[in-house]
Amino acid sequence: MPQTNPADPTESGAAAGDYLEITPLGAGCEVGRSCLYMECKGRKIMLDCGLHPAREGIQALPYFDMIRPEEIDLLLLTHFHVDHCAGLPYFTEKTGFKGKVFMTHPTRAIYKYIAQDFVRVANISTDEQLFDTKDVNSSSEKIGRIDYHQECEEKGIKFTAYRAGHVLGAAMFLIEIDGVKILYTGDYSREEDRHLKPAEIPPSCEVDVLIVESTYGVEKHENRDVREAKFKQLVHDVVRRGGKCLMPCFALGRAQELLLILNEYWRENPELASVPIIYSGALAQRSLEVFKTHRNMMSDALRKEIEQGRDPFEFKQMDQAGIEADPGPLVVMAGPGML
Ligand SMILES: [Zn+2]
C-alpha cells in the first residue's frame, strides 16, 4: 500500500499553491548575507538583502539567480548591518525589482551612510564594484518607512514592525498573508543594554511560522556585568600606566555602547578626567546625529540623561596626527580597518 505523506499538500487535501515556500538566498548554514525569499498564495516577499562581509564583488551577493526579482512584491529590511542591508542598492538598481521596500526611520538614515561607506572603502576595481554612490542615493529614495507597531499592507500582505533590540532601529516583522502569520526576527537581543530597549514579544497572537536568527545557537555568553567589569578594568590598567588603549570597533551600535560604558566609568573615577576618549572616523560622528534624533527609541535611563541636557555619547574627535602627537594616555576607538 502506498504510504501517504502528510507534508505533501496534494495528499493532505490542500489546494495547489496553498503552502508557504521559504528559500534562503544567503545566511543558510553560513554567517553573512542574510536574505530570505518567501512565497505564499502567489505573494512573493524578500526579507533582508545583505552582503557577505568576507567576500567581494559579485561573490558577496545573495543567490539572486534563484529568484525572479521582477516578481517580488515586497522587501522588508530588518536593520542597518552590512550583512542585512548592503545588497539593497544592487537589488533595486541592477535587477528588475519593482516592488516596495520598507524599513524603520533610523535604519533608512543609517543604511545610507553604511552603503556610502561601503562604496568608499571597497577594495576592488571600479568595474567589479556592485554599485556606486548614485545607486545608493537612488535606492534610498525608493524606501518606505515604517514605525514600530504600525501595521502596513501591500498587495494583500499585512506586516507590522516590532522592536528587536540589537541596534538602533532594528525591527522584527510579523507578516500575515491570508491568515498565515509569519514572524521573522532578524538579529535580535533580549538583553537590555545601555542605549537600547530589548526585543519585545509581539502581543498575543498565534504565529504559524517563526524564522529566527541563531548565529550563537545555544552558546551561553558570559554575564554582562562580568564582561563589563573586565573591560573597564583592562582599559583602566592601560591608561593608568600611561598607555594608549586602541579599540577596534564598528562605528555603529558597538561604538556607542562602549562610549556609554566608558563615559559612566570616567565620571565614577575623577582621576581619569584628563584622559581623552577619542573616536576616529566621520561615520561615527554622522551617525551619532541619528542616534540623538531617535532618542525616543533609546532606553529610559538614557532618555532621561539627554532630557537633563547631558550628552551621554560625548567623545573627542582627533585625527591620526593628533593621536600620534599626544604624549599622554588616551583611549582610541576606530573601525577595525582604520585602526
Ligand atoms: Zn546585526
Side-chain angles (χ1 to χ4, degrees):
M1 212 171 89
Q3 291 272 306
T4 52
N5 176 6
D8 180 350
T10 53
E11 297 285 347
S12 67
D18 217 15
Y19 52 94
L20 172 73
E21 195 184 311
I22 299 171
T23 313
L25 306 180
C29 293
E30 66 175 1
V31 177
R33 60 169 157 187
S34 284
C35 186
L36 215 80
Y37 170 74
M38 205 163 73
E39 195 177 330
C40 186
K41 311 211 175 186
R43 274 80 169 225
K44 293 167 183 165
I45 305 175
M46 189 186 267
L47 299 167
D48 281 330
C49 193
L51 289 181
H52 199 300
R55 307 209 176 147
E56 282 174 349
I58 219 102
Q59 301 293 331
L61 289 172
Y63 293 98
F64 292 143
D65 48 353
M66 292 176 73
I67 52 156
R68 291 172 189 273
E70 63 277 14
E71 291 179 356
I72 300 217
D73 302 303
L74 178 66
L75 168 49
L76 300 174
L77 216 136
T78 58
H79 67 288
F80 62 66
H81 279 152
V82 167
D83 57 333
H84 289 255
C85 79
L88 187 65
Y90 181 90
F91 198 65
T92 61
E93 307 310 306
K94 312 279 176 175
T95 74
F97 173 69
K98 309 184 284 286
K100 289 275 171 62
V101 188
F102 283 90
M103 59 182 79
T104 64
H105 296 240
T107 302
R108 182 182 183 270
I110 300 176
Y111 152 74
K112 207 172 159 182
Y113 295 151
I114 293 275
Q116 281 165 349
D117 200 58
F118 186 84
V119 173
R120 197 176 54 84
V121 302
N123 202 9
I124 48 176
S125 67
T126 0
D127 27 304
E128 273 181 287
Q129 283 266 22
L130 290 172
F131 49 84
D132 58 21
T133 313
K134 219 175 77 211
D135 298 322
V136 173
N137 293 338
S138 158
S139 75
S140 353
E141 278 158 28
K142 294 173 185 163
I143 298 168
R145 279 163 286 186
I146 182 168
D147 283 321
Y148 291 144
H149 308 140
Q150 183 190 350
E151 191 185 82
C152 294
E153 189 167 343
E154 193 58 44
K155 294 199 175 164
I157 308 161
K158 285 187 194 154
F159 55 100
T160 313
Y162 290 97
R163 205 171 59 229
H166 190 52
V167 288
L168 177 66
M172 307 187 273
F173 287 103
L174 181 66
I175 302 154
E176 190 182 333
I177 308 170
D178 241 3
V180 180
K181 292 195 172 98
I182 305 133
L183 181 68
Y184 175 63
T185 66
D187 292 353
Y188 71 100
S189 167
R190 288 283 293 152
E191 199 181 44
E192 173 138 26
D193 67 14
R194 297 289 162 124
H195 71 294
L196 290 177
K197 292 175 187 163
E200 57 191 338
I201 296 170
S204 67
C205 76
E206 271 178 31
V207 170
D208 299 296
V209 178
L210 173 67
I211 307 170
V212 67
E213 120 80 22
S214 60
T215 303
Y216 290 103
V218 292
E219 237 173 86
K220 265 204 161 146
H221 286 312
E222 203 171 21
N223 194 303
R224 186 180 172 87
D225 298 341
V226 178
R227 271 183 291 152
E228 263 192 39
K230 275 187 187 167
F231 168 69
K232 291 187 280 199
Q233 193 56 50
L234 208 62
V235 175
H236 202 154
D237 288 348
V238 173
V239 294
R240 189 187 284 128
R241 55 174 191 257
K244 290 178 164 55
C245 182
L246 309 180
M247 253 187 269
C249 63
F250 288 103
L252 292 156
R254 192 53 61 89
Q256 284 74 26
E257 184 68 14
L258 294 179
L259 269 176
L260 293 173
I261 295 172
L262 289 178
N263 279 341
E264 189 187 284
Y265 189 66
W266 256 229
R267 283 198 297 273
E268 291 163 3
N269 294 276
E271 75 273 18
L272 293 172
S274 61
V275 179
I277 301 172
I278 297 158
Y279 194 93
S280 179
L283 187 58
Q285 183 66 58
R286 263 180 302 172
S287 50
L288 267 187
E289 295 309 315
V290 184
F291 275 71
K292 288 174 188 168
T293 310
H294 293 284
R295 63 184 67 173
N296 60 324
M297 290 186 180
M298 302 284 159
S299 68
D300 295 338
L302 197 66
R303 247 167 41 199
K304 217 178 252 169
E305 272 200 56
I306 297 173
E307 275 155 24
Q308 284 164 358
R310 201 151 59 187
D311 180 1
F313 291 115
E314 194 185 351
F315 67 98
K316 271 197 180 168
Q317 263 313 93
M318 208 187 272
D319 61 8
Q320 196 182 335
I323 293 167
E324 281 169 9
D326 194 308
L330 46 80
V331 178
V332 186
M333 290 186 217
M338 296 288 288
L339 199 62

